[in-house]
Amino acid sequence: MTPPNKHEHATLDASDKKRLIILVCTILAFAVMNGTMFNVAIPDIAASFNLSPSEVSWVLTSYILVFAIGSLMYGKLADIYPIKTLFTIGISIFSLGAFIGFLSPNYPTLLAARILQAVGGATIPALAFIVPIRFLPKEKGRVFGLISSTVAFASGVGPIIGGVVGGTLNWRFLFLFSVATALAIPLFRKWLPDEEKREGSIDLPGAALMAISVASLLFYITLLSWYLLVSFIVFFILFLWRTFTIKQPFIDPVILKNTKYTITVLTSFLGTSALFGLIFVIPIMLRDLNELSTLNIGLVLFPGAMAAGLIGQFGGKIIEQKGATVVVKLALILIASGTFFISTFSGYNAWVIAPCLLIAYLGFPLIQSSTADLLSTILPDNQNGVGMGIFNLLNFMAGAFSSAIFGRLLDMKNVSFVMNPLSRTNDNLIYSNLYLGLSLIAIIALVIFTLKFLSKREKSLSESPVS
C-alpha cells in the first residue's frame, strides 16, 4: 500500500502535457495581469467614488494582503486535497469576485469584490508552481521557466492593457478579463489527473496566527505604525510556540530546519526584492529625471518585459542541462549587473537606460524558475505544497518590502554622498545610490547562495589543507 504522504506522479502523454502547460500559463497570465492592470486604473476608481488617495489604495493593498496569505494557505491545502478540486473552487471564487467588481455600485462593494478575487485568485500562482512537480516531474525545469516567464511578461504587459482598456472604455471592463477565467474550469476538470484526498489536517489556529502576523507585518511596512510591529512580534512568537509544541502544525518545523531550503527561499526573497525595487523606482526616476509621459515610460519598460517573457524557455533548458544552481547564480549576476549599469547611467537619455533595464529584467524569470526547481528537489513530496506556499508568500512580501522601503528612501532630500564613483553627481544621486544598493542586495544573495551550494569539487578544494 502506498504511504499516505507520498504523491504518485500521473502518467500523461505528450499532447496532454502540452495542453496542461498552455492552460496553466494562460490562467496564470490572467491572474498576474489582474493585479498589475489596476495600478493604472487607481486614479479613475478614485474619481468614480470620490475617494482620497489613502482610501483608494486599499483596492491594491487588500488584494495583495489576502493574495499573499492565500498563496501559503493553498500550498498547504495542496498537500492534502486534489489540485483539480482546489483550482475549481479558487477560479470560481475569483470569477465571482470579478463579476461583482464589474457591477459594483459603491466603494465597499468594490473592496469586497477585490478581496473575494484575492481569496480565489491566490490558488492560481500557488498551484501553478505545484502542477509541474506533481504531474510533470521530468519536464519541471522547462515548465518552471515558462511559468516564470509568464509572470514576468504579464507583469509588464498588464499596465499597458490596463491603460488601453481603462482609457478607451472604463476601469470596470478590466474585471471582465478575470470573469473570463471561469472558462478554464471545465478544461482543468478534464485535463488534470484525478487524485485521492491524502491524510492530513489543517492547523486552523496556527494558520490564523500566521495570517495575522503576516498581515501585521505587511501593514507595518506600509504604514510604519509601532503597534503593528508589536502585533507582528506577538503573533509571530505565538505562531512559533504553537508550531513547535503540537504534533501537526500548520508549517512543519522540519522544513525550517532544512538549511538548503531556507537559504534557497532567502536567495529568492533577496533577488526578488531587488527586482521589485527596480520595478518600483524606475518609473519614478524616468518621470523625475527624463520627464517622460506614462506612455513613454511603458515603452521603456516594454522591451525588458518582452525579453523576460521570451527567456523562460532558454532558462528552462539550462536548468535541465546544467542544473538549477547554475541558473540561480546567472540570474543574480544579471540582476546585479543591470542595476549597477542603471546606477551608473541614471540621468542619461532613457534609451540608454532601456538596455540596462533589459539585462536586469532577464533575471526575473530565471530567479523564479531556478529557485522553484531547486526547492522541488530539496523537499520531499509531502512537503512540496507548503514549501512552495512559503516561497510564494515571501516573493509577495518582497514586493511589499521593496515598495515601502524604497518609497521612504526616495523621500530623502539633499543627498550628498556618492556610492557609485562612476555616476554623475547631480540630480540623479539618490537614484544612483538606490540602484547600487539593489546591486549589492543581489551580490549578497549570490555570495550566500554560492557558499551553501558549493559543488563537491569546490568543497573538497576548499577543505583540503594548504601545503
Side-chain angles (χ1 to χ4, degrees):
M1 182 176 179
T2 305
N5 65 337
K6 297 292 182 184
H7 301 321
E8 293 184 2
H9 297 302
T11 301
L12 300 173
D13 60 33
S15 61
D16 290 336
K17 291 177 181 178
K18 185 176 180 179
R19 287 185 300 187
L20 185 56
I21 292 169
I22 293 173
L23 180 61
V24 168
C25 288
T26 302
I27 201 73
L28 182 61
F30 277 86
V32 173
M33 285 192 296
N34 179 75
T36 58
M37 284 190 303
F38 280 90
N39 291 353
V40 297
I42 287 299
D44 294 332
I45 293 173
S48 295
F49 297 117
N50 194 26
L51 302 173
S52 67
S54 61
E55 288 174 324
V56 76
S57 67
W58 281 99
V59 173
L60 299 178
T61 303
S62 61
Y63 184 87
I64 294 171
L65 177 64
V66 176
F67 202 82
I69 296 172
S71 65
L72 174 57
M73 178 62 76
Y74 283 115
K76 176 66 176 179
L77 290 172
D79 285 333
I80 301 173
Y81 297 98
I83 288 181
K84 180 186 293 188
T85 301
L86 296 177
F87 259 132
T88 301
I89 295 172
I91 295 174
S92 299
I93 297 173
F94 182 63
S95 300
L96 176 62
F99 184 69
I100 294 172
F102 177 71
L103 300 175
S104 54
N106 50 50
Y107 179 60
T109 305
L110 174 65
L111 202 57
R114 286 292 283 169
I115 293 172
L116 200 59
Q117 271 194 296
V119 169
T123 56
I124 297 171
L127 301 181
F129 279 97
I130 298 174
V131 165
I133 300 172
R134 188 76 55 84
F135 305 122
L136 306 163
K138 293 182 180 179
E139 300 91 355
K140 60 183 172 61
R142 180 175 63 87
V143 179
F144 280 139
L146 292 172
I147 289 172
S148 299
S149 293
T150 299
V151 172
F153 178 73
S155 297
V157 171
I160 297 174
I161 294 177
V164 172
V165 174
T168 56
L169 298 172
N170 184 278
W171 60 265
R172 293 179 183 276
F173 286 87
L174 296 176
F175 280 107
L176 295 184
F177 282 87
S178 302
V179 173
T181 59
L183 299 174
I185 294 176
L187 299 179
F188 275 116
R189 301 292 302 174
K190 181 178 180 181
W191 294 343
L192 275 173
D194 293 321
E195 299 175 273
E196 296 293 329
K197 180 181 178 294
R198 300 166 189 85
E199 292 184 11
S201 60
I202 301 294
D203 172 27
L204 293 179
L209 290 171
M210 181 67 178
I212 295 171
S213 61
V214 170
S216 299
L217 180 58
L218 289 174
F219 279 129
Y220 171 72
I221 293 168
T222 303
L223 304 175
L224 292 182
S225 298
W226 66 267
Y227 63 87
L228 292 170
L229 180 60
V230 172
S231 174
F232 162 69
I233 294 171
V234 170
F235 282 102
F236 189 67
I237 290 173
L238 289 173
F239 169 74
L240 291 177
W241 170 77
R242 183 171 181 84
T243 296
F244 287 96
T245 55
I246 68 170
K247 289 185 178 180
Q248 292 186 323
F250 181 65
I251 295 178
D252 191 339
V254 172
I255 293 179
L256 305 178
K257 292 176 183 177
N258 186 330
T259 55
K260 284 193 172 182
Y261 174 82
T262 54
I263 291 297
T264 303
V265 294
L266 175 62
T267 299
S268 175
F269 175 81
L270 292 174
T272 305
S273 295
L275 284 164
F276 276 116
L278 163 74
I279 293 169
F280 175 78
V281 176
I282 198 74
I284 300 173
M285 185 186 81
L286 292 174
R287 177 66 60 85
D288 185 20
L289 299 184
N290 301 92
E291 300 180 347
L292 296 186
S293 66
T294 302
L295 177 60
N296 286 332
I297 290 173
L299 292 175
V300 174
L301 299 177
F302 188 69
M306 283 292 293
L310 296 172
I311 196 67
Q313 185 81 16
F314 174 70
K317 289 180 179 179
I318 298 179
I319 290 173
E320 291 181 345
Q321 295 173 2
K322 302 292 184 180
T325 56
V326 173
V327 181
V328 172
K329 295 174 186 178
L330 174 61
L332 292 170
I333 290 170
L334 287 170
I335 296 168
S337 301
T339 49
F340 175 76
F341 289 140
I342 297 174
S343 170
T344 302
F345 297 113
S346 57
Y348 282 67
N349 188 284
W351 303 114
V352 176
I353 300 297
C356 305
L357 184 62
L358 187 149
I359 294 171
Y361 246 113
L362 292 177
F364 196 137
L366 296 181
I367 190 70
Q368 292 282 299
S369 59
S370 55
T371 50
D373 185 83
L374 193 56
L375 291 175
S376 71
T377 62
I378 291 171
L379 295 175
D381 284 347
N382 64 311
Q383 293 179 351
N384 266 318
V386 69
M388 295 305 293
I390 296 172
F391 165 76
N392 280 311
L393 172 66
L394 289 176
N395 284 339
F396 286 119
M397 291 184 68
F401 268 112
S402 294
S403 299
I405 292 173
F406 288 102
R408 295 285 176 178
L409 290 174
L410 283 173
D411 290 336
M412 295 173 59
K413 304 295 182 183
N414 301 320
V415 176
S416 58
F417 62 96
V418 180
M419 291 177 59
N420 184 350
L422 300 178
S423 69
R424 292 176 174 176
T425 54
N426 49 25
D427 293 339
N428 76 319
L429 201 53
I430 180 64
Y431 299 104
S432 176
N433 289 346
L434 283 180
Y435 276 106
L436 188 63
L438 294 174
S439 186
L440 292 174
I441 290 173
I443 292 171
I444 290 170
L446 177 63
V447 171
I448 294 172
F449 181 83
T450 302
L451 290 176
K452 183 61 185 178
F453 287 89
L454 287 172
S455 67
K456 291 181 179 179
R457 180 174 178 273
E458 289 172 322
K459 281 186 177 180
S460 63
L461 288 174
S462 64
E463 293 171 358
S464 60
V466 179
S467 57

